[in-house]
Each structure stands twice: as structure tokens, then as C-alpha cells.
Amino acid sequence: EALLADATSASRGAGMVDYSYSSAYAAGTVGKELKDRKDATDGLETRATDLETADALLKILAANAQCRLVYTDATHVTLQPYNGNKILINGSVQTIPAAGVALASTGLLANTLYYVYAYMNGTTMTLEAVTTGHSTNATTGVEIKTGDALKTLVGMVYCPLAATFYSNIKLCMVKSWFNRNPCDLYGS
């Protein structure tokens, strides 16, 4: 009513309207609906920006997860955090434990190339070595186990002997899919 009265007197030439938006809003009389709509719009813009940021993060992780598969010893390889600790598995960002995730060579055959995949077993990150190849997930862009989008490719290993990983300066038989270490090859 106050704003209406001021506006009416102003339209009749009575002088300047002495009414502030903030005092009217504080009194709950004017602009509350407009302000609420603006606040809601600002919230939507913030959420849209957050989604764009999350989408950008997913694209970065699809191309270059923050990990590296490394040779640990003759019976283990380990997925270690590298320049961070995130990896995209099954469309979700997962955290690689600080100690890494180990894979034992138990049951692996001699003279066989294995693809190593990370997946979530409940809340535990786990690795598997299988001969099934990889393909690109059309939705996320992540290299996955062909036919199984739950598993993300993290590397490859070649076992020259049964149940044995091998890697040295002459033979690089453990390769990470992400953040690869250069491997200089030397002749005998």
C-alpha cells in the first residue's frame, strides 16, 4: 500500500517517491516474489556451472586418470595414485587408496598378454587381469573391458612365465594405460 500511495502521489506530481526497495523487502511488502525468483535463477545458474565443471572433470579423468599401473615384484603389480588419486569407473569418480591397489599374479598363464581392469567390488577398488580386450565407452569416453562397462582399463601385463610379472630395463612387460613411464629398450 505504501508503494502504491507513493506511486499515486508521484503520478499526480506531488514530488519524488521516497521509498527504498530494501526497506520494502524487509517489511515483506514489495519485491519478495521477484527477489525469490532471482535467487532461484541464480541457484539454477550455479548448479548449471557446477554440472559443467563436473562434466569437464569427467572428460579429463576419462582421458587421463590420476594413477599409474606399476611393476611391484614378480608376483604383484600395483595401481598407484599419480598426480592426484581419482579414476573414472562405471561413470563415477572413484578414489584410489593411498597405498594403491595390488594385483597378484596367481593363476596367470605363461606367454600370455593380459589387460588389467579396475572395478568397484562394493566400496573396494579391485583389479583383474584377463585376456578380454578393451573398447571405448561411447557415453564416458573411458576405455573399458569389452562388454563390461563396470571395468576401466588401467594397463597391460605380459607374463613370460606362469604366475610371474616381469619388468626391467631390457623388457617392459608391465605398461600403464594412464601416465606411462617411458621404457627404453636395449639390445642384448
Side-chain angles (χ1 to χ4, degrees):
E1 292 176 15
L3 184 58
L4 181 59
D6 285 344
T8 303
S9 52
S11 69
R12 292 185 185 154
M16 295 180 29
V17 176
D18 184 18
Y19 202 84
S20 76
Y21 172 79
S22 58
S23 64
Y25 179 73
T29 58
V30 175
K32 184 170 180 355
E33 184 178 343
L34 277 173
K35 183 173 183 321
D36 290 345
R37 284 187 188 179
K38 181 183 181 320
D39 290 347
T41 302
D42 288 348
L44 289 174
E45 289 170 358
T46 299
R47 281 179 269 175
T49 301
D50 290 348
L51 289 173
E52 289 169 6
T53 302
D55 188 48
L57 174 62
L58 293 177
K59 287 178 183 174
I60 290 168
L61 287 175
N64 197 18
Q66 298 172 328
C67 60
R68 180 183 278 170
L69 184 68
V70 298
Y71 172 83
T72 308
D73 58 44
T75 58
H76 296 91
V77 294
T78 304
L79 182 67
Q80 296 179 338
Y82 180 79
N83 287 337
N85 62 355
K86 304 297 183 200
I87 185 172
L88 197 60
I89 298 176
N90 190 24
S92 297
V93 177
Q94 302 294 336
T95 301
I96 301 162
V101 181
L103 173 68
S105 61
T106 308
L108 301 182
L109 304 175
N111 299 315
T112 306
L113 174 67
Y114 290 95
Y115 297 91
V116 180
Y117 298 96
Y119 66 98
M120 298 305 293
N121 184 6
T123 59
T124 304
M125 189 174 296
T126 307
L127 299 179
E128 76 170 0
V130 295
T131 58
T132 304
H134 61 95
S135 55
T136 304
N137 182 316
T139 304
T140 63
V142 172
E143 288 299 307
I144 58 168
K145 180 179 177 182
T146 298
D148 190 351
L150 301 176
K151 298 177 180 176
T152 297
L153 178 68
V154 296
M156 293 181 259
V157 297
Y158 182 81
C159 295
L161 302 171
T164 304
F165 295 122
Y166 188 80
S167 192
N168 68 18
I169 198 164
K170 290 186 177 184
L171 297 170
C172 297
M173 296 190 178
V174 175
K175 286 309 276 180
S176 183
W177 185 255
F178 303 105
N179 301 299
R180 294 180 187 153
N181 267 335
C183 185
D184 297 326
L185 299 177
Y186 296 92
S188 51

